[in-house]
Amino acid sequence: LGSENNHRIRSKGKGENDGRTGKKRGGGGGQTKPLEDIKRVALRAGTILEARQHPEADSLIVCKVDVGDVDETGTPSPRTVVAGLAQLDFDALTNRKVVVLANLKPAKMRGIESHAMLLAASDDKDTVELVDVPDSVPNGELLSFEGKELGEPDAMLKSKGALKVWDRVKAKLRVNGSGEAMYTEEDSTVRLINSSAGPVTVSSLT
């Protein structure tokens, strides 16, 4: 993320592995109005269950993150997420409720496949902090943008064109003076990123 205070929001890690489906774009008989970029990305609540150092990279960590996925028996199926957050305290990451970008194509990072990204904010001094979600929010909940109907995320953003959707959204993410994550539209309209329990936030980069 970035912000009014020049705090940028970044994604740490890569990939997606769930079967959640978005609506098809195009096809059929008639023209379909394209969905807005912010409705195509799947920003979900997730809990970091564990975090450890990547065995092949000092700058990377490997996390297990509960994003609400379950297997065919209904058993929780946490995702593996590789992220460039080795500067953070691993103990402080465990059981932390965070924002997860959940619908990118999985990608290997130094030999370990990552299935999501974690949203983090940073300042000009490269201080990095994860974007937190209120503890009461269930894992897997799709976050919303203030004043907009709930999104219809793509099942997976994997083509070059689809990946640019996230690039465009990411470029407009910031943190305001209250530590709230927000999205600024082309016309300067500001929309907070909200959960069912309120805005998602950072605690120190304000």
Side-chain angles (χ1 to χ4, degrees), residues 120-150:
S122 64
D123 60 16
D124 288 339
K125 298 179 181 178
D126 286 331
T127 301
V128 176
E129 183 181 342
L130 286 169
V131 181
D132 293 319
V133 176
D135 288 338
S136 62
V137 176
N139 292 328
E141 178 178 294
L142 182 65
L143 305 180
S144 63
F145 292 83
E146 183 180 20
K148 292 286 187 180
E149 294 182 359
L150 201 61

